[in-house]
Amino acid sequence: MCRLIIILLLLLILIVGYLWWKPTAGGSNSEVLPVLLWHGMGDTCCLPFSLGAFMELIVAQTKGTYVRSVEIGGNMVMDWESGFFIHPNEQVDYVCKQLLADEKMAKGYNAIGFSQGGQFLRAVAQRCPQPPMRTLITFGGQHQGVFGLPSCPTLSVEACAYISRLLTSAAYATAVQEQLVQATYWHDPLMENNYRRGSTFLADINNELYLNVFYTENLNKLKKFVMVKFLNDTVVQPKDSQWFEFYTSGQDKVIQPLKDSKVYENLGLNKMQRDGKLVFLGVEGDHLSISKAWFIQNIVPLLLEK
C-alpha cells in the first residue's frame, strides 16, 4: 500500500509538472549563450523543486537567456524512466539530434549536467561537436564511473538494494548493460578487463576500448570543463570520480591521482589542464546539495563569460 501511494504521488507530481513546467525557458537575451541542462537518476527535466528551479534561476541571473532542460522521449514519465532504463548511447543520440534541430543552440551553448547527466553531457561534447558546446559544468558527475550505490535515489529502499545486487553480480552481462543505465558506468576496479570489455558506455567515452582521436579533439574544443565534487557525498562511490579520479586498479581503497591514470592522457585531459581548461570545484554537502547563493557566486559568472 505504501509503495502504491508513493507511485501515485509521483505520477501526480509528474502530471502537475507536465502541465505547468516546460523543458525550455527564457529566450529573450541573445547576448548570453543558451544553457543546456541534463538531470540525474530519479529526476526529470523540469519539476519546480529540481531542475525547474535551476531553469528559473538561470533565466533570472542571465536576464533571460534561453535555457533548455533535456527531456528524453518528449514527456516527463518517459524522461523519468530514461534515468534507469534507456541506454545512455540512445539518450545521447536523441539529445544530439534535438540540439541540431534547435535553432537557438546553433551558435553554441553552455551545458550543466547533474549527477549521471554530467557524463552524458560529456558524451555529447565528445560525439556531437555541432552545435558547439563551450563550457561543460558537471555537478557530481561520475566521470570514472561508480563502484557501489550506498544511497541511490529511487522510489524505495528495495529498488536500491535490487539494483546494487544486480550490478555487483552481473553488471557486464549483455542483458544488464542493455536494460540498466547504471550498469553502463559501473566500474569494477577488481575486474578491470571485464569492465573494459563489458562496459557499453563509460569505457568507450573514456577511450579505454581504443583511442578515439575524435573524442579527444572534440573534448579539447571546450573553453572550460568544470567539475564540481560534493565533499560529503553519500551517493557517488567513490566521490573522487566527480573529479575524474578512481581507485587504483586491483583494489577499492586507494584513489589514483588523475595525472597517474591512463585516461588523463588518452582523453587529452593533460592538454586541457596545460591550457587552463580544467576547473575543479569542491562544495561541502551531500550529493547535489547546491545552495542558490553558491550557484550564483560560482556558476553564473561562467555562464556570463563572453
Side-chain angles (χ1 to χ4, degrees):
M1 177 62 71
C2 181
R3 182 180 298 180
L4 178 60
I5 292 173
I6 292 174
I7 293 174
L8 290 174
L9 285 173
L10 176 66
L11 290 174
L12 179 61
I13 291 171
L14 290 175
I15 292 170
V16 172
Y18 182 76
L19 292 174
W20 294 99
W21 293 83
K22 304 299 180 184
T24 59
S28 61
N29 187 357
S30 60
E31 297 300 312
V32 179
L33 277 181
V35 179
L36 179 68
L37 309 180
W38 198 329
H39 63 80
M41 163 184 168
D43 200 359
T44 67
C45 70
C46 323
L47 292 177
F49 51 79
S50 60
L51 263 68
F54 280 104
M55 294 173 72
E56 193 173 65
L57 177 61
I58 292 169
V59 170
Q61 292 296 317
T62 59
K63 295 184 171 61
T65 196
Y66 177 66
V67 182
R68 178 169 189 151
S69 189
V70 169
E71 184 184 40
I72 300 297
N75 66 76
M76 293 183 72
V77 174
M78 184 175 289
D79 190 35
W80 180 84
E81 291 178 344
S82 72
F84 299 97
F85 307 122
I86 299 179
H87 197 286
N89 290 336
E90 184 178 341
Q91 296 191 53
V92 169
D93 182 62
Y94 178 88
V95 170
C96 289
K97 291 175 181 176
Q98 293 288 309
L99 289 172
L100 279 174
D102 192 335
E103 294 181 356
K104 293 183 178 180
M105 294 286 188
K107 294 182 180 179
Y109 62 98
N110 293 315
I112 303 176
F114 298 84
S115 196
Q116 68 183 20
Q119 59 263 32
F120 296 173
L121 277 176
R122 176 162 63 83
V124 171
Q126 293 174 201
R127 293 175 177 175
C128 311
Q130 295 298 327
M133 185 187 296
R134 190 184 72 169
T135 293
L136 171 60
I137 302 165
T138 63
F139 283 99
Q142 298 103 54
H143 294 291
Q144 280 272 38
V146 297
F147 187 55
L149 291 175
S151 179
C152 69
T154 66
L155 289 180
S156 68
V157 174
E158 291 85 356
C160 276
Y162 172 74
I163 291 173
S164 294
R165 286 196 304 271
L166 194 59
L167 291 172
T168 301
S169 62
Y172 305 120
T174 300
V176 178
Q177 285 284 314
E178 290 176 350
Q179 297 173 21
L180 184 61
V181 167
Q182 289 66 44
T184 68
Y185 57 85
W186 182 261
H187 186 168
D188 189 336
L190 308 178
M191 298 190 295
E192 287 284 355
N193 287 335
N194 288 353
Y195 155 68
R196 283 190 291 269
R197 290 195 300 263
S199 170
T200 55
F201 175 68
L202 189 69
D204 175 62
I205 66 167
N206 281 359
N207 268 352
E208 294 175 283
L209 295 173
Y210 60 90
L211 190 59
N212 189 327
V213 177
F214 183 69
Y215 286 175
T216 304
E217 290 176 349
N218 288 338
L219 191 62
N220 272 264
K221 290 176 182 177
L222 290 173
K223 181 178 179 180
K224 286 181 181 176
F225 179 9
V226 182
M227 289 170 270
V228 181
K229 177 167 75 171
F230 296 93
L231 303 178
N232 311 108
D233 204 308
T234 63
V235 174
V236 176
Q237 183 175 319
K239 59 179 177 287
D240 309 85
S241 184
Q242 300 170 56
W243 278 356
F244 234 119
E245 295 180 326
F246 203 68
Y247 298 118
T248 301
S249 182
Q251 51 81 56
D252 60 357
K253 298 292 187 296
V254 179
I255 297 297
Q256 182 182 53
L258 173 58
K259 291 183 178 180
D260 295 338
S261 66
K262 291 182 180 178
V263 73
Y264 185 61
E265 182 176 350
N266 288 349
L267 207 52
L269 298 173
N270 53 350
K271 184 178 186 303
M272 294 186 77
Q273 189 152 47
R274 287 196 302 270
D275 293 342
K277 293 183 176 183
L278 295 186
V279 180
F280 301 91
L281 300 178
V283 58
E284 294 290 342
D286 204 347
H287 194 59
L288 299 186
S289 297
I290 313 162
S291 73
K292 180 178 178 180
W294 190 94
F295 188 91
I296 291 173
Q297 180 180 351
N298 293 277
I299 302 303
V300 170
L302 296 170
L303 305 179
L304 293 174
E305 287 181 356
K306 298 296 185 181

